[in-house]
Amino acid sequence: MTFHLEGPVLEGELVRLEPLGHRHAADLAVAAEEDRGSYEFTWVPRAAEVGQYIDAQLARAARGQLAPYAQVLTSTGRAIGATSYWEPRSWRGDDRLDAIEVGFTWLARSAQGTGANAESKLLLFGHAFEQWGVARVDLKTDARNRRSRAAIERTGARFEGVLRNWSRSWAPGEEGLLRDSAIYSITAEEWPECRGRLEQRVGGFLSRT
């Protein structure tokens, strides 16, 4: 595959997705410590680990595996979380991208339920389908993570099943263990309906501001 994974700045009304860098470290350290009760199954660094976390994500980016973003509130310019394009895949033997995953997503507790996640997904999915021309976007999460699964389902993604012992567990106390992963996807044919659903959700949040 000759496709080069590089995510551009993606601008919405509530949130701006900026390529992740160390300039976001101070904000992300604050965001990660607001309330960690919702991170039971999600990889979120502690404040003191944010620098290493950014280094690890940038190393993945250098290998072509990842395009990491900071999620930045447009109203304040403050980074409130992170997300990424992940695992680009192409099977047609040219420089077209066939599929990509959206993952490594987390938000500060105060940003959850504000529309930031919905608009981030709208921006990420839209760029993948409309600029890169992918055939599908994947999302996956720990099969036990009801909060994350509900958020994914609200985007309009379809549940495809659970892959057993699919990837490492991020749950506390499960270091070195594997988890079952719930797999979701959106195909190019489904994207227009999904886009309409996400636009409606984002519009609902904007009307409250």
Side-chain angles (χ1 to χ4, degrees):
M1 183 182 74
T2 59
F3 174 83
H4 176 66
L5 178 60
E6 185 173 355
V9 173
L10 299 173
E11 183 90 30
E13 295 191 61
L14 295 170
V15 68
R16 181 174 61 254
L17 301 182
E18 300 178 357
L20 181 68
H22 282 281
R23 67 189 182 280
H24 301 114
D27 285 347
L28 292 178
V30 173
E33 295 293 345
E34 278 190 4
D35 178 354
R36 298 186 63 87
S38 63
Y39 302 151
E40 185 178 5
F41 300 105
T42 305
W43 180 37
V44 179
R46 303 300 308 226
E49 300 167 338
V50 166
Q52 294 175 329
Y53 164 81
I54 293 173
D55 285 339
Q57 296 297 70
L58 294 180
R60 291 183 174 94
R63 295 193 295 268
Q65 298 174 310
L66 189 78
Y69 283 101
Q71 302 188 67
V72 177
L73 279 180
T74 59
S75 60
T76 64
R78 181 172 62 90
I80 52 167
T83 191
S84 296
Y85 286 121
W86 170 234
E87 291 191 344
R89 304 185 302 285
S90 181
W91 302 284
R92 289 177 285 189
D94 56 26
D95 62 356
R96 290 180 295 177
L97 184 66
D98 289 316
I100 197 158
E101 182 175 334
V102 170
F104 285 102
T105 300
W106 62 272
L107 279 171
R109 182 67 186 90
S110 61
Q112 295 173 25
T114 66
N117 181 62
E119 189 171 50
S120 290
K121 295 299 191 293
L122 178 62
L123 294 168
L124 291 164
F125 297 167
H127 187 79
F129 284 115
E130 296 164 18
Q131 303 302 317
W132 289 337
V134 300
R136 65 176 276 146
V137 169
D138 312 329
L139 304 100
K140 69 175 182 284
T141 189
D142 192 306
R144 300 166 294 180
N145 192 340
R146 295 184 181 275
R147 181 192 295 267
S148 178
R149 291 181 66 166
I152 291 171
E153 289 163 5
R154 284 194 294 271
T155 70
R158 295 193 183 186
F159 175 59
E160 294 189 333
V162 173
L163 298 180
R164 297 176 297 166
N165 290 344
W166 180 249
S167 60
R168 66 173 293 182
S169 174
W170 299 104
E174 294 187 0
E175 292 77 9
L177 300 180
L178 297 175
R179 76 177 196 192
D180 294 348
S181 291
I183 309 298
Y184 294 81
S185 72
I186 301 165
T187 66
E189 294 77 14
E190 296 162 349
W191 169 236
E193 180 181 351
C194 177
R195 180 180 58 205
R197 178 185 297 200
L198 283 168
E199 288 173 342
Q200 185 175 26
R201 290 195 65 228
V202 172
F205 285 107
L206 287 170
S207 68
R208 303 174 197 173
T209 60

Tab-separated table of all heavy atoms in Angstrom, residues 9 16 41 57 64 83 85 87 94 99 101 114 121 129-130 143 169 198:
chain	number	residue	atom	x	y	z
A	9	VAL	N	-5.994	19.063	9.755
A	9	VAL	CA	-6.873	19.731	10.721
A	9	VAL	C	-8.309	19.606	10.219
A	9	VAL	O	-8.589	19.824	9.037
A	9	VAL	CB	-6.492	21.209	10.888
A	9	VAL	CG1	-7.514	21.936	11.767
A	9	VAL	CG2	-5.098	21.348	11.475
A	16	ARG	N	-12.467	21.262	17.220
A	16	ARG	CA	-11.473	21.257	16.141
A	16	ARG	C	-10.509	20.107	16.408
A	16	ARG	O	-9.983	19.980	17.523
A	16	ARG	CB	-10.727	22.587	16.093
A	16	ARG	CG	-9.680	22.673	14.970
A	16	ARG	CD	-9.078	24.073	14.875
A	16	ARG	NE	-8.398	24.484	16.091
A	16	ARG	CZ	-8.879	25.380	16.964
A	16	ARG	NH1	-10.079	25.929	16.789
A	16	ARG	NH2	-8.205	25.702	18.043
A	41	PHE	N	-12.286	0.906	30.918
A	41	PHE	CA	-11.781	-0.004	29.897
A	41	PHE	C	-10.994	0.718	28.806
A	41	PHE	O	-10.708	0.138	27.765
A	41	PHE	CB	-12.950	-0.755	29.240
A	41	PHE	CG	-13.760	-1.581	30.202
A	41	PHE	CD1	-15.013	-1.163	30.610
A	41	PHE	CD2	-13.265	-2.767	30.712
A	41	PHE	CE1	-15.766	-1.922	31.498
A	41	PHE	CE2	-14.000	-3.527	31.599
A	41	PHE	CZ	-15.257	-3.112	31.994
A	57	GLN	N	2.202	7.839	20.603
A	57	GLN	CA	1.296	8.049	19.476
A	57	GLN	C	2.053	8.597	18.261
A	57	GLN	O	1.783	8.182	17.121
A	57	GLN	CB	0.166	9.010	19.871
A	57	GLN	CG	-0.757	8.487	20.962
A	57	GLN	CD	-1.516	7.239	20.546
A	57	GLN	OE1	-0.933	6.158	20.408
A	57	GLN	NE2	-2.809	7.390	20.317
A	64	GLY	N	3.380	4.932	10.142
A	64	GLY	CA	2.262	4.881	9.222
A	64	GLY	C	1.052	4.149	9.744
A	64	GLY	O	0.120	3.867	8.984
A	83	THR	N	-8.155	11.486	19.872
A	83	THR	CA	-8.744	10.463	19.005
A	83	THR	C	-7.762	10.215	17.873
A	83	THR	O	-6.752	10.924	17.759
A	83	THR	CB	-10.137	10.883	18.492
A	83	THR	OG1	-10.788	9.769	17.867
A	83	THR	CG2	-10.045	12.038	17.516
A	85	TYR	N	-7.165	8.340	13.636
A	85	TYR	CA	-7.312	7.341	12.585
A	85	TYR	C	-6.276	6.255	12.866
A	85	TYR	O	-5.162	6.543	13.308
A	85	TYR	CB	-7.009	7.947	11.215
A	85	TYR	CG	-8.056	8.862	10.648
A	85	TYR	CD1	-7.747	10.188	10.343
A	85	TYR	CD2	-9.340	8.407	10.373
A	85	TYR	CE1	-8.688	11.037	9.787
A	85	TYR	CE2	-10.296	9.244	9.818
A	85	TYR	CZ	-9.965	10.558	9.529
A	85	TYR	OH	-10.911	11.390	8.972
A	87	GLU	N	-4.852	2.038	11.782
A	87	GLU	CA	-4.795	0.830	10.957
A	87	GLU	C	-5.390	1.021	9.554
A	87	GLU	O	-6.411	0.415	9.205
A	87	GLU	CB	-5.484	-0.345	11.671
A	87	GLU	CG	-4.725	-0.819	12.890
A	87	GLU	CD	-5.249	-2.131	13.457
A	87	GLU	OE1	-6.377	-2.527	13.108
A	87	GLU	OE2	-4.524	-2.762	14.228
A	94	ASP	N	-3.254	-0.483	-5.199
A	94	ASP	CA	-2.915	0.858	-5.662
A	94	ASP	C	-2.842	1.771	-4.453
A	94	ASP	O	-2.760	1.317	-3.322
A	94	ASP	CB	-3.920	1.360	-6.708
A	94	ASP	CG	-5.364	1.330	-6.188
A	94	ASP	OD1	-5.547	1.407	-4.961
A	94	ASP	OD2	-6.289	1.231	-7.011
A	99	ALA	N	-10.066	0.937	3.831
A	99	ALA	CA	-10.711	0.920	5.154
A	99	ALA	C	-9.780	1.525	6.184
A	99	ALA	O	-8.554	1.499	6.033
A	99	ALA	CB	-11.074	-0.504	5.552
A	101	GLU	N	-9.767	2.520	10.706
A	101	GLU	CA	-10.446	2.505	12.008
A	101	GLU	C	-10.349	3.883	12.643
A	101	GLU	O	-9.368	4.610	12.445
A	101	GLU	CB	-9.795	1.469	12.919
A	101	GLU	CG	-10.449	1.340	14.283
A	101	GLU	CD	-9.847	0.221	15.122
A	101	GLU	OE1	-9.303	-0.733	14.548
A	101	GLU	OE2	-9.912	0.326	16.364
A	114	THR	N	-21.574	16.505	25.517
A	114	THR	CA	-21.696	17.899	25.080
A	114	THR	C	-21.817	18.033	23.568
A	114	THR	O	-21.942	19.160	23.063
A	114	THR	CB	-20.470	18.709	25.530
A	114	THR	OG1	-19.308	18.205	24.842
A	114	THR	CG2	-20.267	18.625	27.030
A	121	LYS	N	-16.723	12.573	15.470
A	121	LYS	CA	-16.992	11.434	14.588
A	121	LYS	C	-17.488	11.911	13.230
A	121	LYS	O	-17.115	11.355	12.192
A	121	LYS	CB	-18.014	10.499	15.236
A	121	LYS	CG	-17.536	9.819	16.519
A	121	LYS	CD	-16.328	8.946	16.262
A	121	LYS	CE	-15.992	8.041	17.456
A	121	LYS	NZ	-15.534	8.814	18.621
A	129	PHE	N	-14.644	9.056	4.276
A	129	PHE	CA	-15.503	8.651	3.168
A	129	PHE	C	-15.427	9.622	1.984
A	129	PHE	O	-15.377	9.196	0.825
A	129	PHE	CB	-16.952	8.535	3.636
A	129	PHE	CG	-17.239	7.304	4.446
A	129	PHE	CD1	-17.615	7.407	5.778
A	129	PHE	CD2	-17.149	6.038	3.886
A	129	PHE	CE1	-17.885	6.281	6.541
A	129	PHE	CE2	-17.409	4.897	4.630
A	129	PHE	CZ	-17.775	5.016	5.966
A	130	GLU	N	-15.417	10.918	2.262
A	130	GLU	CA	-15.589	11.901	1.199
A	130	GLU	C	-14.277	12.394	0.594
A	130	GLU	O	-14.267	12.847	-0.562
A	130	GLU	CB	-16.400	13.078	1.742
A	130	GLU	CG	-17.818	12.669	2.145
A	130	GLU	CD	-18.529	13.677	3.031
A	130	GLU	OE1	-18.077	14.847	3.064
A	130	GLU	OE2	-19.533	13.307	3.683
A	143	ALA	N	-15.606	-5.432	24.786
A	143	ALA	CA	-16.997	-5.896	24.721
A	143	ALA	C	-17.760	-5.605	26.004
A	143	ALA	O	-18.996	-5.523	25.987
A	143	ALA	CB	-17.029	-7.390	24.410
A	169	SER	N	-5.997	-6.020	26.917
A	169	SER	CA	-6.943	-5.350	27.795
A	169	SER	C	-6.297	-4.111	28.404
A	169	SER	O	-5.119	-4.121	28.771
A	169	SER	CB	-7.381	-6.289	28.917
A	169	SER	OG	-8.194	-5.598	29.855
A	198	LEU	N	-25.760	12.050	12.427
A	198	LEU	CA	-24.775	12.787	13.218
A	198	LEU	C	-24.998	14.294	13.114
A	198	LEU	O	-24.864	15.016	14.104
A	198	LEU	CB	-23.363	12.426	12.755
A	198	LEU	CG	-22.840	11.074	13.232
A	198	LEU	CD1	-21.565	10.702	12.487
A	198	LEU	CD2	-22.588	11.079	14.733
